Amino acid sequence: AQSVTQLGSHVSVSEGALVLLRCNYSSSVPPYLFWYVQYPNQGLQLLLKYTTGATLVKGINGFEAEFKKSETSFHLTKPSAHMSDAAEYFCAVSATGRRALTFGSGTRLQVQP
Amino acid sequence: EAGVAQSPRYKIIEKRQSVAFWCNPISGHATLYWYQQILGQGPKLLIQFQNNGVVDDSQLPKDRFSAERLKGVDSTLKIQPAKLEDSAVYLCASSSDRGMEKLFFGSGTQLSVL
């Protein structure tokens, strides 16, 4: 079974500041890991994913995440926040890539001017 | 490429009534998922189809929820009878056989049960 814990249901940063959204996972087998973003009244969009290979994954809109097996973490970062980054972010895990995703409870990112 | 289509966009019903949601996945996508997203929570899988067969329905409350995917294309999710705790956004997603780990989501149906 897989599970995801997202630390912090709300994160607020200033425009231009570093964004760090935390995600820890639990999986009995090597995981596939994902970050999705959800803008108001829109469906979820894939930001980035880790399946195999390089542990530092780059996604869209300047986001990146690093898979750390020893820490069972997959934190999402962006060096400089933009107002348009305000949204809800979900971390998700899949056991083999052929099964449905298990999502965390989400982190709402606010960006202050 | 057209995205995942869902309808209706909003639905308000009274408890004990029935409701149905429709989803048309991206053309050619063999796998279709229904997720329930309660306010303040992450999406929770209700059912996963591979073509017109069920892969996983372990979290579907089968006493009141049902889903079908006739002909392996579009799908319908039904709730009968609805309870107050069914108020949520119902998300449909699809993925191809090759990139099953990448899900494409529809905008969802927001259900309010009064």
Side-chain angles (χ1 to χ4, degrees), chain A residues 30-34 49-58 65 67 74 94-97, chain B residues 101:
Chain A
Y32 288 13
L33 294 160
F34 309 82
K49 63 179 180 180
Y50 168 80
T51 53
T52 58
T55 56
L56 182 62
V57 180
K58 295 186 184 299
F67 169 57
F74 191 58
S94 170
T96 64
Chain B
E101 70 275 7

Side-chain angles (χ1 to χ4, degrees), chain A residues 32 34 36 49 51 97 101, chain B residues 95-96 98-103:
Chain A
Y32 288 13
F34 309 82
Y36 278 82
K49 63 179 180 180
T51 53
L101 303 180
Chain B
S95 62
S96 67
R98 286 196 169 187
M100 286 187 72
E101 70 275 7
K102 183 173 181 179
L103 272 60

